[in-house]
Amino acid sequence: SAVISQKPSRDICQRGTSLTIQCQVDSQVTMMFWYRQQPGQSLTLIATANQGSEATYESGFVIDKFPISRPNLTFSTLTVSNMSPEDSSIYLCSVGTVGGNIQYFGAGTRLSVL
Amino acid sequence: DAKTTQPPSMDCAEGRAANLPCNHSTISGNEYVYWYRQIHSQGPQYIIHGLKNNETNEMASLIITEDRKSSTLILPHATLRDTAVYYCIVGKGSSNTGKLIFGQGTTLQVKP
């Protein structure tokens, strides 16, 4: 297993601003992922954070809106840019076992945009 | 990846077994069945996974039908802390990209 720490745990932001969410893992991992969970909904994968290369984004998500960094095997950031109220969601990071679908999740960042 | 179908909600009495069904009729031969749960205000938690044999761990048992088109997650003695949304997900194992596609899941309410 892995222990994932996310910061901040929650934030209230003004529209038009940006927020960077940090994800720290207690061990080196190959696969890191970012998800969004809109109110009352299930999780949707935003992107796979690749170490040493650009993130791989899912359909409907773009780098300009959700830039991701992955400087090493234990850390990643997700920025929500130029926020609007529609970006109010829980954002979660996870790490995966090599070649498998077993993932460990952080507690999430609860974002409210006014 | 194959799609899954789960009932939106279920109730279970505390101390009784909770049996959560999942249909995955389009599953392919190299796809596994994974179960996760999400307790309120927490991130999802991995429970168990299997390919074709029944599996058991300290949290639950997974029963997969012989044709692999459906499965059942069994919590043998449900407690109030098992109240959560349970997700059944189909995904490839060792050759996959690691992506998890979450459906709407089953909201299990364990009642005293």
Side-chain angles (χ1 to χ4, degrees), chain A residues 4-14 19-22 34-41 43 78 80 83-93 105-114, chain B residues 38-44:
Chain A
I4 297 104
S5 301
Q6 269 189 249
K7 292 181 181 179
S9 59
R10 60 178 66 238
D11 209 341
I12 301 172
C13 301
Q14 297 296 319
L19 176 70
T20 296
I21 302 168
Q22 299 180 3
W34 287 97
Y35 292 82
R36 181 177 72 182
Q37 188 169 27
Q38 295 176 300
Q41 300 298 312
L43 284 79
L78 169 76
V80 186
M83 289 184 286
S84 66
E86 291 71 35
D87 294 318
S88 297
S89 294
I90 301 172
Y91 293 86
L92 301 107
C93 74
F105 287 78
T109 296
R110 284 155 182 76
L111 171 62
S112 296
V113 184
L114 305 179
Chain B
Q38 187 174 24
I39 295 170
H40 184 61
S41 297
Q42 297 184 22

Side-chain angles (χ1 to χ4, degrees), chain B residues 76-112:
Chain B
H77 305 287
T79 70
L80 298 179
R81 288 175 293 185
D82 291 321
T83 293
V85 180
Y86 287 78
Y87 297 100
C88 169
I89 301 170
V90 170
K92 294 181 174 61
S94 60
S95 62
N96 96 100
T97 60
K99 289 167 35 173
L100 290 176
I101 308 299
F102 284 82
Q104 293 306 306
T106 296
T107 299
L108 175 67
Q109 181 73 47
V110 180
K111 299 185 174 181

Side-chain angles (χ1 to χ4, degrees), chain B residues 36-75:
Chain B
Y36 284 77
R37 73 179 182 184
Q38 187 174 24
I39 295 170
H40 184 61
S41 297
Q42 297 184 22
Q45 175 190 24
Y46 164 78
I47 301 173
I48 199 169
H49 76 284
L51 182 62
K52 55 183 177 181
N53 297 321
N54 298 338
E55 302 287 345
T56 296
N57 63 19
E58 66 278 3
M59 289 182 67
S61 295
L62 174 60
I63 308 297
I64 303 174
T65 58
E66 191 168 345
D67 63 8
R68 302 208 323 122
K69 292 184 177 182
S70 64
S71 61
T72 301
L73 178 75
I74 301 173
L75 308 178

Side-chain angles (χ1 to χ4, degrees), chain A:
Chain A
S1 65
V3 177
I4 297 104
S5 301
Q6 269 189 249
K7 292 181 181 179
S9 59
R10 60 178 66 238
D11 209 341
I12 301 172
C13 301
Q14 297 296 319
R15 70 169 66 213
T17 64
S18 297
L19 176 70
T20 296
I21 302 168
Q22 299 180 3
C23 181
Q24 179 77 51
V25 188
D26 68 343
S27 58
Q28 294 188 341
V29 292
T30 303
M31 296 182 175
M32 292 184 77
F33 306 90
W34 287 97
Y35 292 82
R36 181 177 72 182
Q37 188 169 27
Q38 295 176 300
Q41 300 298 312
S42 184
L43 284 79
T44 301
L45 180 64
I46 297 172
T48 303
N50 305 308
Q51 195 268 332
S53 64
E54 279 195 2
T56 303
Y57 289 84
E58 297 300 305
S59 176
F61 297 95
V62 295
I63 188 171
D64 290 347
K65 177 66 176 178
F66 298 101
I68 288 170
S69 78
R70 179 88 193 269
N72 55 53
L73 293 175
T74 64
F75 187 77
S76 178
T77 67
L78 169 76
T79 299
V80 186
S81 304
N82 188 25
M83 289 184 286
S84 66
E86 291 71 35
D87 294 318
S88 297
S89 294
I90 301 172
Y91 293 86
L92 301 107
C93 74
S94 75
V95 301
T97 56
V98 175
N101 287 113
I102 299 174
Q103 294 187 14
Y104 302 96
F105 287 78
T109 296
R110 284 155 182 76
L111 171 62
S112 296
V113 184
L114 305 179

